Amino acid sequence: MRFRLLTAVRALLTDGRIADRKDVVRVSALVLMAKASRGTCRVEITARELGRWLGVSESTVDHEVLPVLREVEAVSARVLRGDDGLPTGVEYRVEPLWEARGDAGAPLALSKVELATLLRFIEGLFAPGWGEQCATPPGLLVERRGRGAASDRLALVLLALHARPD
């Protein structure tokens, strides 16, 4: 499983749309992919929550991350509205994941189990933690915030995926 996830993470990070972008943009694409639904390749998340995952502010996500992901077409966004017509959130579709679905040989054609495993793996490394009595405990790098936090998170993911099982 480790090799399969490493292959998928590498494929995402070397995708031409995000390969030469800042680490905060690249790790945000990874988080969105891990949290995406297998069938729709979509994830509903706020800028504030994504910022908690990345170790950066909501403003950084709004001004430096999401505009870049949209501009290079790494994600497509759809505003969700309530019954009253007011916005209730944003749903993002991870385009590299969407394009790979159905192609059994593609590195990003992850199964539901593989996506769930990737999410649990990333949660253990840097999830913000939530729930009563920490139903999902904070990850190892949750305290690392600000400048360089996203780079540290990306480095830890790659290091952990390259490490030996023992």
Side-chain angles (χ1 to χ4, degrees), residues 49-109:
E49 182 65 15
L50 186 56
R52 290 180 64 216
W53 278 84
L54 305 176
V56 298
S57 68
E58 177 180 359
S59 177
T60 299
V61 172
D62 278 335
H63 295 99
E64 296 179 29
V65 175
L66 295 176
V68 172
L69 288 173
R70 287 186 196 129
E71 177 186 318
V72 299
E73 298 178 352
V75 299
S76 60
R78 181 174 67 151
V79 176
L80 303 173
R81 300 188 181 278
D83 293 336
D84 55 3
L86 296 175
T88 58
V90 180
E91 182 179 68
Y92 298 96
R93 183 175 74 189
V94 182
E95 293 302 320
L97 194 60
W98 176 256
E99 293 162 3
R101 68 184 174 83
D103 182 2
L108 288 173

Side-chain angles (χ1 to χ4, degrees), residues 53 56 73 78 122-123 126 143 158:
W53 278 84
V56 298
E73 298 178 352
R78 181 174 67 151
I122 290 175
E123 283 176 347
F126 55 84
E143 297 298 322
L158 294 173

